[in-house]
Coordinates of all heavy atoms in Angstrom, one line a residue:
M1 N 0.8 -1.2 0.0 CA 0.0 0.0 0.0 C 0.9 1.2 0.0 O 2.0 1.2 0.6 CB -0.9 0.0 1.2 CG -2.1 -0.8 1.1 SD -3.4 -0.3 2.3 CE -3.0 -1.4 3.6
S2 N 0.3 2.3 -0.6 CA 1.1 3.5 -0.6 C 1.1 4.3 0.7 O 0.2 4.0 1.5 CB 0.6 4.4 -1.8 OG -0.7 4.9 -1.4
L3 N 1.9 5.3 0.8 CA 2.0 6.1 2.0 C 0.7 6.9 2.2 O 0.1 7.0 3.3 CB 3.1 7.1 1.9 CG 3.3 8.0 3.1 CD1 3.5 7.2 4.4 CD2 4.4 9.0 2.9
A4 N 0.1 7.3 1.0 CA -1.2 8.1 1.1 C -2.3 7.2 1.6 O -3.1 7.7 2.4 CB -1.5 8.6 -0.3
T5 N -2.3 5.9 1.2 CA -3.4 5.0 1.7 C -3.2 4.8 3.2 O -4.2 4.8 4.0 CB -3.3 3.7 1.0 OG1 -3.4 3.9 -0.4 CG2 -4.4 2.7 1.4
H6 N -2.0 4.6 3.7 CA -1.7 4.4 5.1 C -2.2 5.7 5.9 O -2.8 5.6 7.0 CB -0.2 4.1 5.4 CG 0.2 2.8 5.0 ND1 -0.2 1.7 5.8 CD2 0.9 2.3 4.0 CE1 0.3 0.6 5.2 NE2 1.0 0.9 4.1
C7 N -1.8 6.8 5.4 CA -2.2 8.1 6.1 C -3.8 8.2 6.1 O -4.3 8.6 7.1 CB -1.6 9.3 5.4 SG 0.2 9.4 5.6
F8 N -4.4 7.9 5.0 CA -5.9 8.0 5.0 C -6.5 7.0 6.0 O -7.4 7.4 6.7 CB -6.4 7.6 3.6 CG -7.9 7.6 3.5 CD1 -8.6 8.8 3.5 CD2 -8.6 6.4 3.4 CE1 -10.0 8.8 3.4 CE2 -10.0 6.4 3.4 CZ -10.7 7.5 3.4
V9 N -6.0 5.8 6.1 CA -6.6 4.8 7.0 C -6.3 5.3 8.4 O -7.2 5.2 9.3 CB -5.9 3.4 6.8 CG1 -6.3 2.4 7.9 CG2 -6.4 2.9 5.4
L10 N -5.2 5.8 8.7 CA -4.8 6.3 10.1 C -5.7 7.5 10.4 O -6.2 7.6 11.5 CB -3.4 6.7 10.1 CG -2.8 7.2 11.5 CD1 -3.0 6.1 12.5 CD2 -1.4 7.6 11.4
A11 N -5.9 8.4 9.5 CA -6.8 9.6 9.8 C -8.2 9.2 10.0 O -8.9 9.7 10.9 CB -6.7 10.6 8.6
T12 N -8.7 8.2 9.2 CA -10.1 7.7 9.4 C -10.2 7.0 10.7 O -11.2 7.3 11.4 CB -10.4 6.7 8.3 OG1 -10.2 7.4 7.0 CG2 -11.8 6.2 8.4
A13 N -9.3 6.2 11.1 CA -9.3 5.6 12.4 C -9.3 6.6 13.6 O -10.0 6.4 14.6 CB -8.2 4.6 12.6
F14 N -8.5 7.6 13.4 CA -8.4 8.7 14.4 C -9.7 9.4 14.6 O -10.1 9.8 15.7 CB -7.2 9.6 14.1 CG -7.0 10.7 15.1 CD1 -6.4 10.4 16.3 CD2 -7.3 12.0 14.8 CE1 -6.2 11.4 17.2 CE2 -7.1 13.0 15.7 CZ -6.5 12.7 17.0
C15 N -10.4 9.7 13.5 CA -11.6 10.5 13.5 C -12.8 9.7 13.8 O -13.9 10.2 14.2 CB -11.8 11.2 12.2 SG -10.5 12.4 11.9
A16 N -12.8 8.4 13.7 CA -13.9 7.5 13.9 C -14.5 7.6 15.3 O -15.7 7.6 15.5 CB -13.6 6.1 13.5
G17 N -13.7 7.6 16.3 CA -14.2 7.6 17.7 C -15.1 8.8 18.0 O -16.2 8.6 18.4
P18 N -14.6 10.0 17.8 CA -15.4 11.2 18.1 C -16.7 11.2 17.2 O -17.8 11.6 17.7 CB -14.5 12.4 17.7 CG -13.2 11.9 17.8 CD -13.2 10.4 17.5
V19 N -16.6 10.8 15.9 CA -17.8 10.9 15.1 C -18.8 9.8 15.6 O -20.0 10.1 15.6 CB -17.4 10.6 13.6 CG1 -18.6 10.3 12.7 CG2 -16.5 11.7 13.1
L20 N -18.4 8.6 15.9 CA -19.3 7.6 16.4 C -19.9 8.0 17.7 O -21.1 7.7 18.0 CB -18.6 6.3 16.5 CG -18.3 5.6 15.2 CD1 -17.5 4.3 15.4 CD2 -19.5 5.3 14.3
S21 N -19.2 8.7 18.6 CA -19.7 9.1 19.9 C -20.8 10.2 19.7 O -21.8 10.2 20.4 CB -18.7 9.5 20.8 OG -18.1 10.7 20.4
I22 N -20.6 11.0 18.8 CA -21.6 12.1 18.5 C -22.8 11.4 17.9 O -24.0 11.8 18.2 CB -21.0 13.2 17.5 CG1 -20.0 14.0 18.3 CG2 -22.1 14.1 17.0 CD1 -19.2 14.9 17.4
A23 N -22.7 10.5 16.9 CA -23.8 9.9 16.3 C -24.6 9.0 17.2 O -25.8 8.9 17.1 CB -23.3 9.0 15.1
A24 N -23.9 8.4 18.2 CA -24.6 7.5 19.1 C -25.3 8.2 20.3 O -26.2 7.7 20.9 CB -23.6 6.5 19.7
A25 N -25.0 9.5 20.5 CA -25.6 10.2 21.6 C -27.0 10.5 21.4 O -27.4 11.2 20.4 CB -24.8 11.5 21.9
E26 N -27.9 10.1 22.2 CA -29.3 10.3 22.1 C -29.7 11.6 22.9 O -29.6 11.6 24.1 CB -30.1 9.1 22.6 CG -30.1 8.0 21.7 CD -31.0 8.2 20.4 OE1 -32.0 8.8 20.5 OE2 -30.5 7.7 19.4
P27 N -30.3 12.6 22.2 CA -30.7 13.8 23.0 C -32.0 13.5 23.7 O -32.8 12.6 23.3 CB -30.9 14.8 21.8 CG -31.1 14.0 20.6 CD -30.4 12.7 20.8
D28 N -32.2 14.3 24.7 CA -33.5 14.1 25.5 C -34.5 15.2 25.1 O -34.1 16.2 24.5 CB -33.2 14.3 27.0 CG -32.4 13.2 27.6 OD1 -32.6 12.0 27.1 OD2 -31.5 13.5 28.5
T29 N -35.8 15.0 25.3 CA -36.8 15.9 25.0 C -36.5 17.3 25.7 O -36.2 17.2 26.9 CB -38.2 15.4 25.4 OG1 -38.4 14.2 24.7 CG2 -39.3 16.4 25.0
G30 N -36.5 18.4 25.0 CA -36.3 19.7 25.6 C -34.8 20.1 25.6 O -34.5 21.2 25.9
D31 N -33.9 19.2 25.2 CA -32.5 19.5 25.1 C -32.2 20.1 23.7 O -32.9 20.0 22.7 CB -31.7 18.3 25.3 CG -31.5 17.9 26.7 OD1 -31.9 18.7 27.6 OD2 -30.9 16.8 27.0
L32 N -31.1 20.8 23.6 CA -30.6 21.3 22.4 C -30.2 20.2 21.5 O -29.5 19.2 21.9 CB -29.3 22.2 22.7 CG -28.7 23.0 21.6 CD1 -29.7 24.1 21.2 CD2 -27.5 23.7 22.1
V33 N -30.6 20.3 20.2 CA -30.3 19.2 19.2 C -29.6 19.8 18.0 O -29.9 21.0 17.7 CB -31.5 18.4 18.8 CG1 -32.1 17.7 20.0 CG2 -32.6 19.3 18.2
L34 N -28.8 19.1 17.3 CA -28.3 19.4 16.0 C -29.1 18.7 15.0 O -29.2 17.5 14.9 CB -26.8 19.0 15.9 CG -26.2 19.2 14.5 CD1 -26.1 20.7 14.2 CD2 -24.9 18.6 14.4
V35 N -29.8 19.5 14.2 CA -30.7 19.0 13.1 C -29.8 18.9 11.8 O -29.2 19.9 11.4 CB -31.9 19.8 12.8 CG1 -32.8 19.3 11.7 CG2 -32.7 20.0 14.1
I36 N -29.7 17.7 11.2 CA -28.9 17.5 10.0 C -29.9 17.3 8.9 O -30.7 16.4 8.9 CB -28.0 16.4 10.2 CG1 -27.1 16.6 11.4 CG2 -27.1 16.2 8.9 CD1 -26.4 15.4 11.9
A37 N -29.8 18.1 7.8 CA -30.7 17.9 6.6 C -29.9 18.3 5.4 O -28.7 18.7 5.4 CB -31.9 18.9 6.8
A38 N -30.5 18.1 4.2 CA -29.9 18.3 2.9 C -29.5 19.8 2.8 O -30.2 20.7 3.4 CB -30.9 17.9 1.8
P39 N -28.5 20.1 2.0 CA -28.0 21.5 1.9 C -29.1 22.4 1.2 O -29.1 23.6 1.5 CB -26.8 21.4 0.9 CG -26.5 19.9 0.8 CD -27.6 19.1 1.3
F40 N -30.0 21.8 0.5 CA -31.0 22.6 -0.2 C -32.3 22.8 0.7 O -33.2 23.5 0.3 CB -31.4 22.0 -1.5 CG -31.8 20.6 -1.4 CD1 -33.0 20.2 -1.0 CD2 -30.9 19.6 -1.8 CE1 -33.4 18.8 -0.9 CE2 -31.2 18.3 -1.7 CZ -32.4 17.9 -1.3
A41 N -32.3 22.2 1.9 CA -33.5 22.3 2.8 C -33.5 23.6 3.5 O -32.4 24.2 3.8 CB -33.4 21.2 3.8
D42 N -34.7 24.2 3.7 CA -34.8 25.4 4.5 C -34.9 25.0 5.9 O -36.0 24.6 6.4 CB -36.1 26.1 4.0 CG -36.3 27.4 4.7 OD1 -35.5 27.8 5.6 OD2 -37.4 28.1 4.5
M43 N -33.8 25.1 6.6 CA -33.8 24.7 8.0 C -34.8 25.3 8.9 O -35.4 24.7 9.7 CB -32.4 24.9 8.6 CG -31.3 24.0 8.1 SD -31.6 22.4 8.8 CE -30.1 21.7 8.3
T44 N -35.0 26.6 8.8 CA -35.9 27.3 9.6 C -37.3 26.8 9.4 O -38.0 26.5 10.4 CB -35.9 28.9 9.4 OG1 -34.5 29.3 9.5 CG2 -36.8 29.6 10.3
S45 N -37.7 26.6 8.2 CA -39.1 26.1 7.9 C -39.2 24.6 8.4 O -40.2 24.3 9.0 CB -39.4 26.1 6.4 OG -39.4 27.5 6.0
L46 N -38.2 23.8 8.2 CA -38.2 22.5 8.7 C -38.4 22.4 10.2 O -39.2 21.6 10.6 CB -36.9 21.8 8.2 CG -36.7 20.3 8.7 CD1 -37.6 19.4 8.1 CD2 -35.2 19.9 8.5
V47 N -37.6 23.2 10.9 CA -37.7 23.1 12.4 C -39.1 23.7 12.8 O -39.7 23.1 13.7 CB -36.5 23.9 13.0 CG1 -36.7 24.0 14.5 CG2 -35.2 23.1 12.7
D48 N -39.5 24.8 12.2 CA -40.8 25.4 12.6 C -42.0 24.4 12.3 O -42.8 24.2 13.2 CB -41.1 26.7 11.8 CG -40.2 27.8 12.3 OD1 -39.7 27.8 13.4 OD2 -40.1 28.8 11.6
L49 N -41.9 23.8 11.2 CA -43.0 22.8 10.8 C -43.0 21.6 11.7 O -44.1 21.0 12.0 CB -42.7 22.4 9.4 CG -43.8 21.4 8.7 CD1 -45.1 22.1 8.6 CD2 -43.3 21.0 7.4
S50 N -41.9 21.3 12.3 CA -41.8 20.1 13.2 C -42.1 20.5 14.7 O -42.0 19.6 15.5 CB -40.4 19.6 13.1 OG -40.1 19.2 11.8
G51 N -42.4 21.8 15.0 CA -42.7 22.2 16.3 C -41.6 22.6 17.2 O -41.7 22.6 18.4
G52 N -40.5 23.1 16.6 CA -39.4 23.6 17.3 C -39.0 25.0 16.9 O -39.7 25.6 16.1
R53 N -37.8 25.4 17.4 CA -37.3 26.7 17.0 C -35.8 26.7 16.9 O -35.1 25.9 17.6 CB -37.7 27.8 18.0 CG -37.2 27.7 19.4 CD -37.7 28.8 20.3 NE -37.2 28.6 21.6 CZ -36.0 28.9 22.1 NH1 -35.1 29.4 21.4 NH2 -35.8 28.6 23.4
I54 N -35.3 27.4 16.0 CA -33.8 27.5 15.8 C -33.2 28.3 16.9 O -33.7 29.3 17.4 CB -33.5 28.2 14.4 CG1 -34.1 27.4 13.2 CG2 -32.0 28.5 14.3 CD1 -33.3 26.2 12.9
V55 N -32.0 27.8 17.4 CA -31.3 28.5 18.4 C -30.1 29.2 17.8 O -29.3 28.5 17.1 CB -30.8 27.5 19.5 CG1 -30.0 28.2 20.6 CG2 -32.1 26.8 20.2
G56 N -29.9 30.4 18.0 CA -28.8 31.1 17.5 C -29.1 31.9 16.2 O -30.2 31.7 15.6
P57 N -28.3 32.8 15.8 CA -28.5 33.7 14.7 C -28.3 33.0 13.3 O -28.8 33.5 12.3 CB -27.6 34.9 14.9 CG -26.5 34.3 15.6 CD -27.0 33.2 16.5
N58 N -27.5 31.9 13.3 CA -27.0 31.4 12.0 C -27.4 29.9 12.0 O -27.4 29.2 13.0 CB -25.5 31.5 11.8 CG -25.1 33.0 11.8 OD1 -25.9 33.8 11.2 ND2 -24.0 33.3 12.3
T59 N -27.5 29.4 10.7 CA -27.6 27.9 10.5 C -26.4 27.5 9.6 O -25.9 28.3 8.8 CB -28.9 27.5 9.9 OG1 -29.0 28.2 8.6 CG2 -30.1 27.9 10.8
G60 N -26.0 26.3 9.7 CA -25.0 25.8 8.8 C -25.6 25.3 7.5 O -26.8 25.3 7.3
V61 N -24.7 24.8 6.6 CA -25.1 24.4 5.3 C -26.0 23.1 5.5 O -27.1 23.0 4.8 CB -23.9 24.0 4.4 CG1 -24.4 23.4 3.1 CG2 -23.1 25.3 4.2
I62 N -25.6 22.2 6.3 CA -26.4 21.0 6.5 C -26.9 20.8 7.9 O -27.4 19.7 8.3 CB -25.7 19.7 6.0 CG1 -24.4 19.4 6.8 CG2 -25.4 19.8 4.5 CD1 -23.8 18.1 6.6
G63 N -26.7 21.8 8.8 CA -27.1 21.6 10.2 C -27.5 22.9 10.8 O -27.1 24.0 10.4
A64 N -28.3 22.7 11.9 CA -28.7 23.9 12.7 C -29.0 23.4 14.1 O -29.5 22.3 14.3 CB -30.0 24.5 12.1
L65 N -28.8 24.2 15.1 CA -29.1 23.9 16.4 C -30.6 24.3 16.7 O -31.0 25.4 16.3 CB -28.2 24.7 17.4 CG -26.7 24.2 17.4 CD1 -25.9 25.1 18.3 CD2 -26.6 22.8 17.9
A66 N -31.3 23.5 17.3 CA -32.7 23.7 17.5 C -33.2 23.2 18.9 O -32.4 22.4 19.5 CB -33.6 23.1 16.4
I67 N -34.3 23.6 19.3 CA -34.9 23.1 20.6 C -36.4 23.0 20.5 O -37.0 23.7 19.7 CB -34.4 24.0 21.8 CG1 -34.7 23.4 23.1 CG2 -35.1 25.4 21.7 CD1 -33.9 24.0 24.2
S68 N -37.0 22.1 21.2 CA -38.4 21.9 21.3 C -38.8 21.2 22.5 O -38.1 20.3 23.0 CB -39.0 21.2 20.1 OG -40.3 21.0 20.2
D69 N -40.0 21.4 23.1 CA -40.5 20.7 24.2 C -41.4 19.5 23.8 O -41.9 18.8 24.6 CB -41.3 21.6 25.2 CG -40.4 22.6 25.9 OD1 -39.2 22.2 26.2 OD2 -40.8 23.7 26.2
S70 N -41.6 19.4 22.5 CA -42.5 18.3 22.0 C -41.8 17.0 22.1 O -40.7 16.8 21.6 CB -42.9 18.6 20.5 OG -43.5 17.5 20.0
P71 N -42.5 16.0 22.7 CA -41.9 14.7 22.8 C -41.7 14.0 21.4 O -40.8 13.1 21.3 CB -42.8 13.9 23.7 CG -43.9 14.7 24.0 CD -43.7 16.1 23.4
A72 N -42.5 14.4 20.4 CA -42.4 13.8 19.1 C -41.5 14.6 18.1 O -41.5 14.4 16.9 CB -43.8 13.7 18.5
F73 N -40.7 15.6 18.7 CA -39.9 16.5 17.8 C -39.0 15.8 16.9 O -38.9 16.0 15.7 CB -39.2 17.5 18.7 CG -38.4 18.5 18.0 CD1 -39.0 19.3 17.0 CD2 -37.1 18.8 18.3 CE1 -38.2 20.3 16.3 CE2 -36.3 19.7 17.7 CZ -36.9 20.5 16.7
F74 N -38.2 14.8 17.4 CA -37.2 14.1 16.7 C -37.8 13.3 15.5 O -37.3 13.3 14.4 CB -36.4 13.2 17.5 CG -35.8 13.9 18.8 CD1 -35.9 13.3 20.0 CD2 -35.3 15.2 18.7 CE1 -35.4 13.9 21.2 CE2 -34.8 15.8 19.9 CZ -34.9 15.1 21.1
E75 N -38.9 12.6 15.8 CA -39.6 11.8 14.8 C -40.2 12.7 13.7 O -40.2 12.5 12.5 CB -40.7 10.9 15.4 CG -40.1 9.8 16.3 CD -39.7 10.3 17.7 OE1 -40.3 11.3 18.1 OE2 -38.8 9.6 18.3
T76 N -40.8 13.9 14.2 CA -41.4 14.8 13.2 C -40.4 15.4 12.3 O -40.6 15.6 11.1 CB -42.2 15.9 14.0 OG1 -43.1 15.3 14.9 CG2 -43.0 16.8 13.1
L77 N -39.2 15.7 12.9 CA -38.1 16.3 12.0 C -37.8 15.3 10.9 O -37.7 15.7 9.7 CB -36.9 16.6 12.9 CG -36.9 17.8 13.7 CD1 -35.7 17.8 14.7 CD2 -36.7 19.0 12.8
K78 N -37.6 14.0 11.3 CA -37.3 13.0 10.3 C -38.4 12.8 9.2 O -38.1 12.7 8.1 CB -36.9 11.7 11.0 CG -35.6 11.8 11.8 CD -35.3 10.6 12.5 CE -34.0 10.8 13.3 NZ -33.7 9.6 14.2
E79 N -39.6 12.9 9.7 CA -40.8 12.8 8.8 C -40.8 14.0 7.8 O -41.2 13.8 6.7 CB -42.1 12.7 9.5 CG -42.3 11.4 10.3 CD -43.5 11.4 11.2 OE1 -44.2 12.4 11.2 OE2 -43.6 10.4 11.9
N80 N -40.4 15.1 8.3 CA -40.4 16.3 7.4 C -39.1 16.5 6.6 O -39.0 17.5 5.9 CB -40.6 17.6 8.3 CG -42.0 17.6 8.8 OD1 -43.0 17.1 8.2 ND2 -42.2 18.2 10.0
G81 N -38.2 15.6 6.6 CA -37.1 15.6 5.7 C -35.7 15.7 6.3 O -34.7 15.8 5.6
A82 N -35.6 15.8 7.7 CA -34.3 15.8 8.3 C -33.6 14.5 8.1 O -34.2 13.4 8.2 CB -34.4 16.2 9.8
W83 N -32.3 14.5 7.9 CA -31.5 13.3 7.8 C -31.2 12.7 9.1 O -31.2 11.4 9.2 CB -30.2 13.6 7.1 CG -30.3 13.9 5.6 CD1 -31.4 13.7 4.8 CD2 -29.2 14.4 4.8 NE1 -31.1 14.1 3.6 CE2 -29.8 14.6 3.5 CE3 -27.9 14.8 5.1 CZ2 -29.0 15.1 2.5 CZ3 -27.2 15.3 4.0 CH2 -27.7 15.4 2.7
G84 N -31.1 13.5 10.2 CA -30.8 12.9 11.5 C -30.8 14.0 12.5 O -30.9 15.2 12.2
V85 N -30.7 13.6 13.8 CA -30.7 14.5 14.9 C -29.6 14.0 15.8 O -29.5 12.8 16.1 CB -32.0 14.5 15.7 CG1 -32.0 15.3 16.9 CG2 -33.2 14.8 14.7
A86 N -28.7 14.9 16.3 CA -27.7 14.6 17.2 C -27.8 15.5 18.5 O -28.5 16.5 18.5 CB -26.3 14.8 16.6
D87 N -27.1 15.1 19.5 CA -27.1 15.8 20.8 C -26.4 17.2 20.6 O -25.2 17.3 20.4 CB -26.3 15.0 21.8 CG -26.4 15.6 23.2 OD1 -26.9 16.8 23.4 OD2 -25.9 15.0 24.2
G88 N -27.2 18.3 20.6 CA -26.7 19.6 20.4 C -25.8 20.1 21.6 O -24.8 20.9 21.3
N89 N -26.0 19.6 22.8 CA -25.1 20.0 23.9 C -23.7 19.5 23.7 O -22.8 20.2 24.0 CB -25.7 19.5 25.2 CG -27.0 20.2 25.6 OD1 -27.1 21.4 25.4 ND2 -27.9 19.5 26.2
L90 N -23.6 18.3 23.2 CA -22.3 17.7 23.0 C -21.6 18.4 21.8 O -20.4 18.8 21.9 CB -22.4 16.2 22.6 CG -21.2 15.4 22.3 CD1 -20.2 15.5 23.5 CD2 -21.5 14.0 21.9
I91 N -22.3 18.8 20.8 CA -21.7 19.6 19.7 C -21.3 21.0 20.2 O -20.2 21.4 19.9 CB -22.8 19.8 18.6 CG1 -23.2 18.4 18.0 CG2 -22.2 20.7 17.5 CD1 -22.2 17.6 17.4
A92 N -22.1 21.6 21.0 CA -21.7 22.9 21.6 C -20.5 22.8 22.4 O -19.6 23.7 22.4 CB -22.9 23.5 22.4
Q93 N -20.3 21.8 23.2 CA -19.2 21.6 24.1 C -17.9 21.3 23.2 O -16.8 21.9 23.5 CB -19.3 20.4 25.0 CG -20.3 20.7 26.1 CD -20.6 19.5 27.0 OE1 -20.1 18.4 26.7 NE2 -21.4 19.7 28.0
L94 N -18.1 20.6 22.1 CA -16.9 20.4 21.2 C -16.5 21.7 20.6 O -15.3 21.9 20.2 CB -17.3 19.4 20.1 CG -17.4 17.9 20.6 CD1 -17.9 17.1 19.4 CD2 -16.1 17.4 21.1
C95 N -17.4 22.6 20.4 CA -17.1 24.0 19.9 C -16.6 25.0 20.9 O -16.4 26.1 20.6 CB -18.3 24.5 19.1 SG -18.8 23.5 17.7
G96 N -16.6 24.5 22.2 CA -16.1 25.4 23.2 C -17.2 26.2 23.9 O -16.8 27.2 24.6
I97 N -18.4 25.9 23.7 CA -19.5 26.6 24.3 C -20.1 25.8 25.4 O -20.5 24.7 25.2 CB -20.7 26.9 23.2 CG1 -20.1 27.7 22.1 CG2 -21.8 27.6 23.9 CD1 -21.0 27.7 20.9
L98 N -20.0 26.4 26.6 CA -20.5 25.7 27.8 C -21.9 26.2 28.1 O -22.1 27.4 28.3 CB -19.6 25.9 29.0 CG -18.2 25.3 28.7 CD1 -17.3 25.6 29.9 CD2 -18.2 23.8 28.5
L99 N -22.9 25.3 28.2 CA -24.3 25.7 28.5 C -24.6 25.4 29.9 O -24.2 24.6 30.5 CB -25.2 25.0 27.5 CG -25.0 25.2 26.0 CD1 -25.9 24.3 25.2 CD2 -25.2 26.7 25.7

């Protein structure tokens, strides 16, 4: 194998742990969540339609932080087109924001 292949495998293995821990973290109802959707999706409309609200002034290309007190918020997001939901508190901590 080439050096580039070895470096790619090593980098993938190094990044797999944090990515898997973020993906496996289940948010609780009423907690901050990271909504992941297609780049062409209107995040604000998606979250509003699902019974939540965007937190913060900006949204990312494929993600936005949101919150809702609805127990069905996560399922409704997915029904309305979200690709997934991750623990927003964990994401905020990784970005250096302590809530």
Side-chain angles (χ1 to χ4, degrees):
M1 277 200 268
S2 70
L3 179 60
T5 304
H6 284 287
C7 291
F8 176 75
V9 170
L10 184 60
T12 302
F14 182 73
C15 295
V19 170
L20 290 175
S21 67
I22 291 169
E26 284 289 323
D28 293 325
T29 301
D31 278 352
L32 189 65
V33 297
L34 175 66
V35 180
I36 304 164
F40 52 81
D42 181 2
M43 285 290 191
T44 305
S45 296
L46 174 68
V47 172
D48 287 342
L49 184 63
S50 302
R53 64 180 174 82
I54 297 288
V55 176
N58 299 324
T59 61
V61 175
I62 64 168
L65 292 174
I67 195 164
S68 176
D69 290 328
S70 171
F73 182 53
F74 311 136
E75 292 80 26
T76 308
L77 280 167
K78 291 177 184 174
E79 290 170 4
N80 289 330
W83 289 346
V85 178
D87 185 353
N89 290 322
L90 180 60
I91 300 297
Q93 289 175 356
L94 288 173
C95 294
I97 302 168
L98 301 176
L99 303 174

